[in-house]
Amino acid sequence: MPLPEEKIKFLGEKAKEIRRSIVEMLIEAKSGHLAGSLGMTDIFTYLYFIALKHNTKKPNWEYRDRLV
């Protein structure tokens, strides 16, 4: 099922924010691998905000999805 345009825009903005944070963290650490982190951002953004069932207020919720 295709995502509505507003969700696509939301995911794009979130991924952009996450990429910015990744670059800032790597600069601060003066170490790290930029390509892998930035390359997976879209995938993990989709998983976290759309696909996976989780509740940040209940990290031990028995019905949460787990990503290994």
Side-chain angles (χ1 to χ4, degrees), residues 18-19 22-23 26 32-42 44:
I18 293 167
R19 282 190 189 94
I22 289 169
V23 171
L26 290 175
H33 298 281
L34 195 60
S37 302
L38 295 178
M40 294 299 292
T41 302
D42 290 320
F44 283 110

Side-chain angles (χ1 to χ4, degrees), residues 10 12 14 18 20 23 27 34 37 39 46 51 57-58 60 62 64 68:
F10 169 80
K14 282 294 179 187
I18 293 167
R20 180 174 280 118
V23 171
I27 289 169
L34 195 60
S37 302
Y46 173 81
K57 296 182 195 276
K58 297 179 184 178
N60 295 322
E62 67 178 285
R64 73 190 182 282
V68 179

